[in-house]
Each structure stands twice: as C-alpha cells, then as structure tokens.
Amino acid sequence: MFDLKSIASQFQVKGTFIFGESFGCGHINDTYACYFKRKFEHPLRYIVQRINHQIFKDVPALMQNIDAVTSFLAKKVAELGGDPAREVLQIVKTTDDQLFYRDEDGSYYRAYVFVDDAVCLQHIEQPEHFYQSAKAFGRFQKLLSDFPADTLTETIPAFHNTRARYEAFLAAIDADLVGRRALVQQEIDFIKAREQDAGILLHLLESGKIPLRVTHSDTKLNNVLLDIATGEGICVIDLDTVMPGLAHYDFGDSIRFGASSASEDETDLSKVFVRLDLFEVFCKGFLEECGKSLTQTEIDYLPFGAKLMTFECGMRFLTDYLNGDTYFKIHRPDHNLDRCRTQLKLVADMEKKYDEMMAIVKRCQANCR
Ligand code: ADP
Ligand code: GN1
Ligand code: MG
C-alpha cells in the first residue's frame, strides 16, 4: 500500500493530513477520501485518486481534457448564475502547478475538491433521484453543446464503438485465454444473435443522419452527486471518458444502470428487468434539459440507444470474463459473468418492452415542447 499522506501532500491542499480512506464503488480508479484539519475551521476533505493507467494510457491528455471541460463548464455555470464551486468538479493542482502527480513507481495521482453535503447513490431510492440525475446529465450535454469537440482526446480509443467491442468479444472467444468459453455458450449465442445491432448507430453517424457530440460516456447514477439539502443533481463527476460520442451513449448508459430493477451484479435474474416508470422519469428529465438541442432522429433512436448500451456493457463484461478479469475490478470469482447476465437479461426485457419505450419517449418529447 502506498503512503497516502505523502501522495496527498503533493497537492495544493489546505490544512494538515489526518487520515485517508478508500472511497466509493468505482470499477476503474482507486479512490480515497482524505481528511485535513485546520485551525479554527471545520476539517476539509479531498478526493485523491490513483488513475488506472493500464486503461487510460495517456494520462497527461486525459487530465488536459478534464481541465479544459471543467474550466469551460465553470465559466458557463457562473454566467448562468450558478455556483461553479459545487456544480463543477474542481481539480486541485500539485504544489508545482501540474494537473497530476507521478510517483517513482510510475503511478499517476490527481486530487479534486470534495463536494460536501452531497450524496452519490448506487441505486435509485426514489424516482426523484433518477429524475435529478437525468437533469444533471442532460444539462451537462447541453452546456457542452458548443464545446470544440475536436480539441478533446479520445481517452480510450473507440470506447463506445460497438462494432469494435463486438470484434474484441469475438477475439476473446477465439483466444479463450483462461478456458471459460464452454461455460458461457448461452451468453455467447445471445450476443452473436444480435450482431446486426452493433453497427446501427455508427451507420447513422457515418451517413450523416446523427451528429457527433461531446459526451460524458459513463453516465451511471453514481457519477452524479445529489445535493443533500435540495435533492438536486448538482455535480457530474468521473470525467475520464468525456470525449466525442453520441447522445445515445449518455442516455443509454444511464438507463441500463438506473432503470434496472436490480443491481448490476444481481445473481437472481428473476429480479432483473427494466422499470418503465424509471425509464419515463429519466426521459422526462433528460429531454427537459437537452431535448431542444437533439435532432428528431436522435430522439427517435433513444430507446435503441438504451438497448445498445446495455448490450455493449454485457458484451464487455463477458469479454473481460473470457480474458480472465483483467479490466473491471471484481470482488468475487464470477463477478463479471454475473454482471454480464444482468445486462443480457435487461436487453431481452427491453426488446419485449420496446414499443412502450418508444411511446414514452414520444410522450415526454410532446410534453416538453
Ligand atoms: P471511478 O472511475 O473508479 O468510477 P469516480 O471518479 O467515479 O471513479 O469516483 C469514485 C467515487 O468517488 C464516486 O462514485 C463518488 O462516490 C466519489 N467521488 C468522486 N469524486 C468526488 C468529489 N469530487 N466529491 C465527492 N465525492 C466524489
Ligand atoms: C466502469 O468507472 P465506472 O465504475 O464509473 C466503466 C464503464 C462501465 C461501468 C460498468 C472507463 O465505470 O464504461 O459502463 O464500469 N468505465 C470505464 O459498471 O471503462
Ligand atoms: Mg465512477
């Protein structure tokens, strides 16, 4: 275990380090909350993260992206009369004014101001929470609609390129690195039967029918902070994957995680289905914020986006399972397989409920005209 106190002291933090603890439930980075005491003032907290540089190969470019996007958002939020200190993630620079610190082992660290009096939820406790996350991600999309997308680096190349994800899945089946292929034939067949789906949105993009936008690309419920006092979705976090993408990626990823009746790793599949009430709540919040900046074709494909992101995630979990669990953090032996199964169950359920999902999108669009 590295020395958190000495890492935290590399940043422009206020006060004296008291202690640090592992924090949150992310699958990618190592996150710590660090507490600092100050004379005559309340203690302060900072987030310190070890960035997963096996996954994010160009950390300097990634931090440049986050710096550019957060500076842009802070300016806009201030112009609109908001409070950038609570509504936008704030990087804490190193003592020599850099965006990250690299230690002698080659690990990369960064620090953020801890957004206090806010919660981060792992599942929906009340529909209002999901509505607020929809507003926050919709606003994020809207505020970045005039950000120069071509200045951003793709921090994970082809991150939501579902065709490329499908190819990676086929390669994992072929390689069968840890001898698990025979255990998952049913899941493999399910995914292969839907190969055609992988190219649909990319085809719309390539033929100019939908535009490229700046997207968050990882819009799980636990990547937005809700203000404890007002309940409002105040701050979108986890900006590692902000990059050019499609509006469907943000809409779809939120639905796959938040509109599910169960956790992403539930083992009792009879508990897993898509909740149309939550689907509707999210559509409402998202379209209220960014509906007017989306084209009709984009809106028409939102239900498909939800299905595609769920399909993609199921395929990614299975690919990682076949490769020996080298990408997502796991906490039990078949964790990635359990996660894959919930996603495929959701895909099947979305297929059954597709017409209802379409009708909900139409209704929400009509209501926010
Ligand atoms: P990962 O990429 O591993 O998901 P995140 O950046 O999402 O990492 O951080 C993990 C968790 O840490 C979040 O889900 C949230 O609970 C907490 N967190 C991250 N940044 C902040 C912040 N600025 N203020 C408060 N909590 C935060
Ligand atoms: C990862 O970092 P976290 O836990 O917010 C992953 C997402 C997946 C998600 C599945 C960079 O998100 O793409 O949808 O797990 N992030 C990355 O829970 O791969
Ligand atoms: Mg996260």
Side-chain angles (χ1 to χ4, degrees), residues 16-17 44 64 71 80-81 113 120 159 208 210 225 243 246 254 275 301 326-328 335 337 345 359 363:
T16 314
F17 183 90
L44 267 184
Q64 284 293 343
S71 307
L80 293 167
V113 170
C120 163
F159 187 55
I210 53 174
L225 302 175
M243 59 176 113
L246 300 178
S254 278
R275 282 185 50 185
Y301 277 86
T326 55
Y327 186 95
F328 296 104
H335 211 165
L337 178 57
K345 172 79 194 290
R363 195 157 65 234

Side-chain angles (χ1 to χ4, degrees), residues 26-28 56 156 159 218 220 223 238 241 253 256 264 313 316-317 327-328:
H27 294 346
I28 305 295
F56 298 107
I156 300 179
F159 187 55
D218 187 6
K220 290 197 321 198
N223 284 333
D238 202 348
T241 50
D253 202 38
R256 76 152 194 94
E264 192 177 70
C313 202
R316 290 177 62 196
F317 286 140
Y327 186 95
F328 296 104

Side-chain angles (χ1 to χ4, degrees), residues 198-235:
I200 290 183
L201 292 184
L202 290 170
H203 178 71
L204 288 174
L205 173 70
E206 287 151 5
S207 54
K209 297 201 172 90
I210 53 174
L212 196 66
R213 298 188 179 276
V214 175
T215 53
H216 179 281
S217 324
D218 187 6
T219 52
K220 290 197 321 198
L221 179 70
N222 63 13
N223 284 333
V224 60
L225 302 175
L226 305 179
D227 188 299
I228 290 174
T230 64
E232 240 180 282
I234 39 162
C235 185

Side-chain angles (χ1 to χ4, degrees), residues 85-193:
R86 275 184 80 62
E87 295 171 34
V88 183
L89 193 62
Q90 279 184 81
I91 297 174
V92 179
K93 288 192 176 164
T94 61
T95 48
D96 52 357
D97 253 352
Q98 302 300 308
L99 297 171
F100 61 88
Y101 168 69
R102 191 169 188 207
D103 72 4
E104 57 283 359
D105 300 335
S107 291
Y108 292 87
Y109 299 87
R110 67 178 163 215
Y112 290 123
V113 170
F114 195 104
V115 180
D116 276 309
D117 304 315
V119 280
C120 163
L121 299 175
Q122 301 309 323
H123 57 266
I124 313 281
E125 287 161 10
Q126 298 162 20
E128 174 67 16
H129 296 149
F130 202 32
Y131 174 69
Q132 289 297 337
S133 84
K135 301 272 282 183
F137 286 126
R139 202 178 312 126
F140 185 84
Q141 171 102 193
K142 183 175 67 183
L143 293 179
L144 289 174
S145 61
D146 56 344
F147 184 93
D150 55 352
T151 60
L152 290 176
T153 301
E154 250 193 325
T155 52
I156 300 179
F159 187 55
H160 282 310
N161 182 320
T162 322
R163 273 193 213 122
R165 294 287 184 190
Y166 188 79
E167 292 306 317
F169 158 73
L170 293 183
I173 300 171
D174 273 354
D176 195 17
L177 288 177
V178 288
R180 290 174 169 173
R181 180 173 52 200
L183 306 171
V184 293
Q185 197 54 50
Q186 228 180 314
E187 287 75 18
I188 291 176
D189 293 344
F190 182 98
I191 293 172
K192 283 191 169 174

Side-chain angles (χ1 to χ4, degrees), residues 285-299:
F286 193 73
L287 290 176
E288 277 171 6
E289 288 293 334
C290 69
K292 293 203 174 65
S293 49
L294 299 181
T295 67
Q296 191 57 47
T297 311
E298 281 178 299
I299 293 176

